[in-house]
Amino acid sequence: MANQAKHKSQPDSWYKYGVGVLFAEMGIAICVCGYSLYMAFAGLGGFPGK
């Protein structure tokens, strides 16, 4: 049981790619929020079909 909890000082090799993907997703989310706010404040939003 004691051997299962190992302390790592270096992150795994995929860590930098995971962080990059998370930053890309945050960028996309910020763009979508900005576009949604633009649509709402410009009066272009609404329900589909209107």
Side-chain angles (χ1 to χ4, degrees):
M1 286 281 191
N3 292 335
Q4 290 178 352
K6 293 182 180 178
H7 176 55
K8 287 186 171 182
S9 61
Q10 295 290 335
D12 291 332
S13 60
W14 53 265
Y15 182 78
K16 61 182 176 181
Y17 299 111
V19 171
V21 169
L22 287 177
F23 276 114
E25 289 181 0
M26 285 191 288
I28 291 169
I30 289 170
C31 291
V32 168
C33 289
Y35 181 69
S36 298
L37 287 172
Y38 163 74
M39 293 283 286
F41 289 126
L44 302 173
F47 292 106
K50 282 194 170 184

